[in-house]
DNA sequence: TTTAAATTTGACCATCTGGTTAAACCTTTT
DNA sequence: AAAAGGTTTAACCAGATGGTCAAATTTAAA
């Protein structure tokens, strides 16, 4: 009975702030713009959240917590490695298709204020050591060729995320600015990234 | 005798602006900061370049022109495909090691004002069609397996650029924030990216 | 040397923006 | 119904910032 009060101003603010912050970033977003998006007075933002910084922290921290756990769970399942990677890539690309602004936003913000990012990140206790271990075990078992597992993680993330973060550039370079074509390309990458990676890491 | 006049204020401004813009981005950079970096009065910036926008355009346009041509030239040489890819990756990573702020800066700016980016980009006439053709020919000749050459280009760029653009994140995730270790990782990727890609695309 | 033109500067302006405050309004309690 | 507490608003403020301008200074031309 606390969730569905009436219009719940706080939630309206959070939703509006998320929209605006992701689209414009911390620097580019205006408090007035967020207020307009939420359909409220600007002073109300400061009533519920003390400052722009605090409001941003709420959004950003929540976002980090939301993204990472879902991802590693797939890779830590007991399925065969081919399937784990296939499912991971499919899920990740699908999530990015639903949140196309996310990559550029996150990259922008982690580079803007590294200290702030490190703090919010560390306090959210995200940990990839299990993931590294899993890949090492797959290598020992001879299921995939030996390599630095960090390279494998970096490559998978890179191939998934980069085409979204660099969309304006790649769309122009590879598809002459054809929006439809580029989105189809992104959709197809669920398959092509998996192929590319498995071709590289599966023993011959 | 036009290049080495005296201190050449215009060059000092361009150099300072490049430094500040790449580090802070268009939004984050202050004209005063650029003036300080150049060791001149703020009004002089407006004397040489009419506005912040114009100054930024000069920097950004020049940067785009500088980056792309060097890159495709290697891939368009007549060397065998393994060597072309190896040299490309080595050169690209080396360039990024020399300009570590570049990836985050470019990604930020192409997503900030897409229209402006498209215009400056189109007027610089950068064209990848030869590159696509080259890869298609290598496939037809059976030197590499058949795939969409756009995926190959996207994957190569992604694997090279992403670890620089996402440095604060990956450094924390993969190396517990150890700067030295992460830089070694980046350096080693000259080899590991090449391996990863060739393993995937060379016929078995 | 004098004059004209180009360059450089300090002071200033208009605007934008995050944030504050006192008053108005609504909801709940007594 | 009246008091109290929580919510919302309009008006306002201080600082930052891109940009302008007239005057001063330096350089080049006559």
């Amino acid at each position: 009975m606390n969730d569905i009060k009436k219009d719940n101003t706080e939630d309206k603010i959070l939703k509006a702030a998320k929209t605006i912050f992701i689209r414009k970033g911390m620097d580019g977003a205006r408090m007035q713009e967020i207020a307009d998006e939420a359909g409220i007075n600007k002073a109300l933002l400061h009533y519920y959240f003390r400052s722009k910084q605090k409001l941003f922290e709420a959004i950003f921290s929540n976002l980090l917590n939301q993204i990472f756990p879902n991802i590693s769970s797939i890779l830590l399942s007991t399925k065969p490695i081919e399937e784990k990677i296939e499912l991971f890539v499919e899920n990740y690309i699908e999530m990015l298709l639903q949140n196309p602004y996310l990559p550029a936003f996150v990259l922008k913000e982690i580079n803007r204020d590294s200290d702030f990012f490190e703090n919010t990140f560390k306090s959210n206790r995200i940990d990839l050591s299990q993931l590294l271990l899993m890949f090492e075990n797959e290598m020992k078992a001879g299921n995939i060729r030996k390599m630095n597992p960090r390279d494998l993680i970096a490559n998978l993330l890179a191939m998934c995320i980069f085409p979204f973060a660099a969309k304006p550039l790649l769309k122009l370079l590879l598809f002459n600015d054809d929006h439809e074509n580029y989105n189809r390309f992104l959709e197809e990458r669920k398959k092509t990234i998996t192929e590319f990676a498995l071709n590289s890491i599966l023993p011959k």
Side-chain angles (χ1 to χ4, degrees), chain A:
Chain A
M1 59 199 69
N2 204 354
D3 296 338
I4 314 166
K5 238 192 205 165
K6 35 174 194 176
D7 279 1
N8 202 338
T9 306
E10 192 166 335
D11 287 347
K12 281 199 297 184
I13 293 178
L14 282 172
K15 192 181 169 193
K18 188 174 172 179
T19 303
I20 301 297
F21 273 136
I22 288 184
R23 199 144 57 204
K24 304 282 187 78
M26 166 71 174
D27 283 348
R30 301 298 116 179
M31 291 298 266
Q32 186 58 58
E33 206 178 355
I34 295 174
D36 291 346
E37 174 84 15
I40 55 159
N41 187 287
K42 179 166 71 87
L44 256 194
L45 296 179
H46 292 90
Y47 178 77
Y48 280 91
F49 303 82
R50 285 167 55 92
S51 64
K52 187 185 186 184
Q53 178 68 22
K54 288 257 192 289
L55 178 55
F56 179 77
E57 282 172 24
I59 302 294
F60 192 71
S61 174
N62 178 272
L63 221 52
L64 282 188
N65 261 334
Q66 213 176 344
I67 294 174
F68 281 89
N70 300 333
I71 280 152
S72 43
S73 66
I74 293 177
L75 286 173
L76 291 175
S77 72
T78 57
K79 298 182 169 69
I81 186 70
E82 293 99 314
E83 207 171 326
K84 279 192 281 193
I85 288 183
E86 183 179 4
L87 282 176
F88 166 78
V89 172
E90 270 177 19
N91 269 268
Y92 210 101
I93 296 281
E94 184 58 34
M95 183 275 281
L96 293 176
L97 284 170
Q98 303 300 323
N99 303 276
Y101 285 105
L102 205 53
F105 168 71
V106 172
L107 289 181
K108 185 195 297 178
E109 297 307 327
I110 67 178
N111 282 290
R112 186 180 56 85
D113 183 349
S114 291
D115 287 338
F116 157 67
F117 162 68
E118 279 178 31
N119 289 337
T120 43
F121 192 84
K122 280 173 179 166
S123 67
N124 285 353
R125 267 280 152 248
I126 293 162
D127 179 30
L128 291 200
S129 57
Q130 293 176 77
L131 218 54
L132 292 171
L133 218 63
M134 180 278 284
F135 280 125
E136 275 163 6
N137 286 336
E138 296 281 2
M139 291 173 201
K140 276 179 196 151
N143 297 331
I144 57 179
R145 70 174 172 84
K146 286 197 166 55
M147 63 184 293
N148 185 342
R150 291 170 185 81
D151 278 305
L152 184 48
I153 293 176
N155 289 346
L156 285 174
L157 289 178
M159 290 190 291
C160 288
I161 295 172
F162 182 77
F164 287 88
K167 183 170 182 171
L169 179 65
L170 289 185
K171 192 169 62 174
L172 217 55
L173 277 177
L174 301 176
F175 292 96
N176 245 331
D177 221 16
D178 184 326
H179 200 68
E180 298 284 324
N181 254 320
Y182 194 72
N183 278 351
R184 200 175 317 129
F185 173 69
L186 290 176
E187 174 75 33
E188 286 167 358
R189 278 180 72 77
K190 287 178 187 171
K191 297 296 176 201
T192 57
I193 292 175
T194 305
E195 265 181 56
F196 193 87
L198 290 181
N199 251 301
S200 178
I201 64 175
L202 290 183
K204 321 207 164 180

